[in-house]
Structures are given as C-alpha cells and as structure tokens.
Amino acid sequence: MSYDNDKKPRKQLLRDKANAKVAGVCAGIANYFNIEAWLVRIIVVTAVIFGHGFVVILYIAAWMILDEAPAPQANNGHKTVGVKTKVYQAGEPPRAAFHDIDEEYRELEGRLQAMERYITSNAYKVDRELKNL
C-alpha cells in the first residue's frame, strides 16, 4: 500500500540568485525554512565572527554543491502574496498584503466596469451588426 499520492512535493534546498547578495546560499536557506533572508545573513555573519572560518568553508561548499533555483515564472503579471504571521517569516506583513490585494481588486473592478460600459453602449451594437454582415 503506497501513500505517495498523499505526500506533498519535497522541498529542495537551492541557491536563490534572484535574492542573492553574494552567491544566493543565505537566500536559498531562507526560502527553504520560510524565514527572512536578512535573519539568515545575520546568523551567518555572527557565525563567521565567532566560528573561526569554519562557516566560511561551509558557505563555499554550499555554494559549490547547491544547485541554482530556476528563475521565477510570471503568473499572468500578478505576484503571489505570501502573508507572514511572525516577524521572522518570509512574506509581506498582513496590512501590506491586504493593501496589495485591495489595489489589484480595484484595478479589476475598473476593467470590469469598462467592459460593461462598452457592452451596453451603441458602439458594441454597431460592431456586432457589422460582424454579422
């Protein structure tokens, strides 16, 4: 009996060059654990200061070993909104996410109103009659 269909796709640890400062290792670790990249960078810098170079060797090894994450694909021109509930999590604060979503819906509402104005106008009726000729 296999439960493979019930499992979520396994998350991979990849370097994130899109959000990289040096090689994308810290940004990749942040994506993997769903925390802010700045927090990982602070931990790494602190570990370098107190770790006597061992962390530098680990960073370079991760740079060589980890594959690069593929470039993010466009989602019909819309960004996905990830909302964070804790300060250290990756994503937008709820207020900013709400503002972004509200702005997107207002834009959609304006486009819908423009379509309704066109369909109820005489120009639409004339265009439809010309196409039927």
Side-chain angles (χ1 to χ4, degrees):
M1 189 164 167
S2 176
Y3 294 102
D4 290 336
N5 295 336
D6 296 337
K7 291 183 180 180
K8 292 181 181 177
R10 190 170 175 194
K11 215 172 180 182
Q12 289 184 331
L13 180 58
L14 301 168
R15 290 185 297 123
D16 184 7
K17 292 292 281 185
N19 300 317
K21 294 292 182 187
V22 177
V25 174
C26 291
I29 292 170
N31 286 343
Y32 185 78
F33 290 108
N34 193 28
I35 57 176
E36 294 285 346
W38 63 267
L39 184 62
V40 176
R41 290 181 183 119
I42 289 174
I43 292 169
V44 168
V45 168
T46 305
V48 166
I49 291 170
F50 296 113
H52 304 292
F54 181 68
V55 177
V56 174
I57 294 170
L58 288 176
Y59 187 90
I60 293 171
W63 187 352
M64 299 298 166
I65 294 171
L66 295 178
D67 292 329
E68 195 172 309
Q73 296 177 357
N75 188 8
N76 289 337
H78 302 290
K79 66 176 185 170
T80 57
V81 178
V83 179
K84 61 182 174 182
T85 57
K86 295 181 177 60
V87 175
Y88 59 84
Q89 288 180 319
E92 284 188 278
R95 185 170 294 187
F98 175 76
H99 177 71
D100 290 346
I101 292 169
D102 186 50
E103 185 177 303
E104 190 171 326
Y105 278 114
R106 287 181 192 272
E107 178 188 325
L108 289 173
E109 179 69 23
R111 290 172 54 197
L112 180 62
Q113 287 176 358
M115 282 193 306
E116 288 174 346
R117 277 193 303 273
Y118 173 69
I119 288 177
T120 58
S121 71
N122 289 333
Y124 176 74
K125 293 174 186 172
V126 170
D127 287 343
R128 192 174 64 187
E129 290 296 327
L130 287 173
K131 285 181 184 177
N132 287 338
L133 289 179

